[in-house]
Structure formats: structure tokens, C-alpha cells
Amino acid sequence: EADIYQTPRYLVIGTGKKITLECSQTMGHDKMYWYQQDPGMELHLIHYSYGVNSTEKGDLSSESTVSRIRTEHFPLTLESARPSHTSQYLCASSEYSATYEQYFGPGTRLTVT
Amino acid sequence: AQKVTQAQTEISVVEKEDVTLDCVYETRDTTYYLFWYKQPPSGELVFLIRRNSFDEQNEISGRYSWNFQKSTSSFNFTITASQVVDSAVYFCALASGSARQLTFGSGTQLTVLP
């Protein structure tokens, strides 16, 4: 079973607030990913990291930013939340490249009012 | 460009029925990898299987089996004797040999009724 954690699990916040979604893994994986998923819909990659101090944007344009200062930690930040940011955010990690299985956290369901 | 199509948006079956979830993929790469993930109502994705493009052998794991056919670009997933706990959204995904990310299908919502 994968050891990847996300907090908070649920967040309801007002427009304009700054938020940080936390993601941590204890497996020592170099590769980490953030996906955005609307209910019942496919996953879209918004950020990924291949190691400390490495971050890249994914296919789906996002106003969020990420950082990777420690191997185990990959937080995602929204400087000013908007209703259009309402979605589920899933964090994942993998030991090798994207051609290998990714292990997912439980997700954060974000609602911006 | 890569693409994964899961044409079945929703499927409902009665417990103990067999059910097959379809997955059709597109890629120009000769080396690629296919995956299936399960997303139960709790939200996390659970890895089920990874296959590479050079291994067309079908695979069976308990009640789960996978049929990979390069000729039709399909990687279908069959659950035998379905159970209520199998109810979830199932995603098929693709990564080419040089890919830096996975491409997911839109998912199939499977509901198994008691």
C-alpha cells in the first residue's frame, strides 16, 4: 500500500483567499505529480516534479504554483482562490518515470465560494 | 499525440455478472505502457495493472483479467463474478516510451447492484 498523504481532505474557502494543499510521501520517490479532476471526469496533469528544485507545468494550464524543496513534500498553492478552482486535486508519486505506476493520495476536494 | 478512449461512460450490472470495460488507445510510439486504475467513492486512485507494448499476453489476477490486442489498439478489462465492492470509476491510461506524463481516459463508472 502506498504511503502518500494529502491535507486537507476537504476545504471550503471564500474567493480571494490564499490556500496551500499539502502532499507528502514516505516512499522516497523522486517523481511527484498534481492532477486536477472534476467530478466524474478524467484527470488532467497540472504540475510535476522530477526531483528537488525541479518543477514543470502539465498539460492543463493552472493558476496554481508548486515547490519541491524536499523529496517527500510537494505542496500546491493558489494565491487567490476563485470559484473556477473548485475541483478535486490529486497528488501522486512514482519511483521511476511516467511509464511506471503512480501511487495516488486520497485527494483534496476544494470548493471556492 | 496520445489519446485514450473509454466509450462506456456508465455500466450497471447485477452482482455475480461478468463485465468488460473497454479501452482504446492511440499513439505513434512503438514503445508504450498501458495502465488501469480504480477510483472508489473515497476518491483515491488505486493502481491495478501496467503492461508494456511488447507483451501481448493476457493477464489474470483473481477475478480480474486484461486483454491486450495491438491489432485493435485495445486494452480491455474484465471482472468476473462482479461484487458490490467493485463499484467504482475505472480509468485506463497510456504513457509512451518517451512520455513524461500519463494520458488518462475519461473513465467508466461501474455500478454493481446487489
Side-chain angles (χ1 to χ4, degrees), chain A residues 26-75:
Chain A
T26 59
M27 297 170 284
H29 289 171
D30 284 331
K31 318 299 188 291
M32 295 191 74
Y33 310 84
W34 275 104
Y35 292 88
Q36 185 174 339
Q37 182 189 29
D38 291 328
M41 303 293 285
E42 63 200 272
L43 283 76
H44 293 283
L45 184 71
I46 51 175
H47 298 283
Y48 60 99
S49 167
Y50 271 27
V52 171
N53 295 326
S54 151
T55 60
E56 302 277 353
K57 289 188 179 293
D59 275 350
L60 184 67
S61 176
S62 173
E63 293 166 347
S64 58
T65 59
V66 293
S67 63
R68 189 90 183 274
I69 297 172
R70 302 197 317 264
T71 298
E72 63 271 20
H73 195 214
F74 191 39

Side-chain angles (χ1 to χ4, degrees), chain B residues 70-89:
Chain B
K70 288 177 75 171
S71 60
T72 56
S73 298
S74 65
F75 186 44
N76 296 337
F77 173 30
T78 297
I79 302 175
T80 303
S82 60
Q83 300 176 1
V84 173
V85 293
D86 295 328
S87 297
V89 181

Side-chain angles (χ1 to χ4, degrees), chain B residues 27-86:
Chain B
T27 179
R28 293 179 180 172
D29 290 294
T30 55
T31 301
Y32 53 89
Y33 301 82
L34 295 161
F35 303 80
W36 275 95
Y37 285 86
K38 173 183 180 180
Q39 186 176 39
S42 51
E44 79 280 14
L45 267 78
V46 178
F47 165 76
L48 296 178
I49 190 171
R50 168 184 179 266
R51 299 306 298 274
N52 72 57
S53 54
F54 298 108
D55 183 2
E56 285 194 73
Q57 274 193 326
N58 291 332
E59 180 148 345
I60 298 175
S61 176
R63 297 184 297 107
Y64 294 172
S65 62
W66 291 269
N67 184 351
F68 176 29
Q69 292 196 343
K70 288 177 75 171
S71 60
T72 56
S73 298
S74 65
F75 186 44
N76 296 337
F77 173 30
T78 297
I79 302 175
T80 303
S82 60
Q83 300 176 1
V84 173
V85 293
D86 295 328

